[in-house]
Amino acid sequence: MTARRLRQLSTAMIAALAIAVPLAAQQGNVGQARQQPTQTQEAQPKKKLQPGDIELQSSRVYCFVGKTGFGHEHAIEGTLTSGAIRLGATEKAGKFEFDLRSFQADTQAARTYIGLAGATDAGTVKKVQTNMLGPEVLDTARFPTAMFEVTAARKHVSKNPPATGQEYLVEGDFTLHGVKRPVKFIAVAEAAEGWTHLRGRFAIRQTDFGIKPFTAALGAVGITNELTIYGDLRVVPESASDAERGK
C-alpha cells in the first residue's frame, strides 16, 4: 500500500470518528433522559383533608361476632375506603364506605378493643377468614364494600351522658350485601390531639341483609345472627388547620 493511500485512509477514519463520537454522546444523553422520572410518573400529592373528612390511616372499624353452641366469639378489624361526616347536620350529614376486603378476623387489636380475652389459634383464624369473606357470608367478590349514608348527626343528651365529649344521634341507611336498611345510634365526639375522636356502635341482624349466619356440625357450632359494628374514627374538626393536627 502506497503512502498516499495510507494518508487517505487515515483522513477517512478521523472524519468518521469526528461524526461518531458526538452521535454516541448524544444517544447516551437520550438514554439518561429516559431513565429520569417524568412529572406524570412522580407520586402525586395526597388529597388534602377537609373539615369533616375521616383520617383513613388510623381510623378503624371493628365487629363483634357472638357464638352459638360450641362456637367461638370473634372480633373483626377493618378499614374505610372513604368517609366524611358533618356533626350537627340535620340532613345529608355524610357517608362512610367500608372496605370489606380489608376485614381481618381476630386481630389482637380487635379482640382488645371489644374486650375478648386471649387469642385465636392460626388454624381457626384462617377458617373464619375464609368463611367471612367467602360467598356464603360477605361475598366480597360481588360486594367489596358496604356503605353507610348519614342522613343526620344531631346533638344529643342522654340520661347518662359520658364524662367527656359531646353525644350525637347519628341516623342513616346502611347498605350491606346489596340490601339497604335504616340504622341509628349514639356516637360520642371529643377533641384529641388536634382531631375529633368519634366513637359509636350499632347492631345489625345478618338475615336482614340476606346473609345466613354460619353454622357447622349440624348446628352445634355457629355464630349469632346479631353482629355489633363499632366505629373508632379520627375526624378533621371544623376549625382545624394542618398545623393544629400536627402535620
Side-chain angles (χ1 to χ4, degrees):
M1 183 177 292
T2 65
R4 181 180 179 183
R5 182 58 177 165
L6 285 172
R7 287 195 299 271
Q8 291 175 342
L9 288 173
S10 297
T11 302
M13 291 175 64
I14 292 171
L17 287 171
I19 295 173
V21 170
L23 180 59
Q26 184 179 10
Q27 290 174 339
N29 291 337
V30 170
Q32 292 174 0
R34 288 175 180 169
Q35 293 174 1
Q36 295 174 356
T38 63
Q39 188 174 9
T40 56
Q41 291 171 331
E42 293 176 353
Q44 297 296 319
K46 293 182 179 180
K47 179 183 176 182
K48 185 177 180 180
L49 294 176
Q50 302 297 319
D53 284 350
I54 306 299
E55 198 285 306
L56 302 177
Q57 296 297 318
S58 61
S59 296
R60 288 293 182 270
V61 175
Y62 300 104
C63 182
F64 170 67
V65 183
K67 68 173 183 175
T68 61
F70 296 99
H72 299 279
E73 295 178 323
H74 298 287
I76 312 300
E77 179 179 359
T79 60
L80 301 173
T81 60
S82 63
I85 186 168
R86 294 190 303 121
L87 296 174
T90 58
E91 60 180 5
K92 297 180 179 180
K95 182 183 295 185
F96 302 145
E97 185 175 59
F98 298 72
D99 183 4
L100 299 182
R101 292 170 297 187
S102 75
F103 278 27
Q104 297 291 320
D106 287 309
T107 66
Q108 194 56 52
R111 293 185 67 85
T112 300
Y113 189 90
I114 291 173
L116 297 183
T120 305
D121 66 90
T124 300
V125 169
K126 184 176 180 181
K127 291 179 182 178
V128 173
Q129 186 75 16
T130 300
N131 292 331
M132 175 178 65
L133 302 184
E136 299 301 321
V137 185
L138 292 180
D139 195 3
T140 56
R142 294 177 58 203
F143 306 104
T145 62
M147 186 73 71
F148 179 44
E149 298 172 89
V150 188
T151 55
R154 300 179 178 88
K155 284 188 176 182
H156 178 80
V157 179
S158 65
K159 294 182 180 179
N160 298 299
T164 60
Q166 170 65 54
E167 289 183 313
Y168 290 88
L169 176 59
V170 181
E171 301 176 88
D173 295 312
F174 184 60
T175 301
L176 174 67
H177 215 249
V179 179
K180 180 185 290 188
R181 292 283 186 268
V183 298
K184 63 180 179 179
F185 59 94
I186 301 299
V188 177
E190 58 182 322
E193 299 179 349
W195 302 87
T196 296
H197 187 193
L198 183 67
R199 290 167 293 171
R201 66 182 183 182
F202 61 92
I204 64 169
R205 291 185 299 178
Q206 296 183 75
T207 51
D208 287 345
F209 295 88
I211 300 173
K212 183 179 179 180
F214 174 80
T215 59
L218 300 177
V221 176
I223 63 172
T224 56
N225 187 18
E226 184 172 285
L227 308 176
T228 304
I229 299 171
Y230 297 76
D232 191 286
L233 313 175
R234 289 206 301 176
V235 184
V236 181
E238 288 296 324
S239 60
S241 66
D242 286 345
E244 291 171 331
R245 295 195 304 274
K247 292 292 184 178

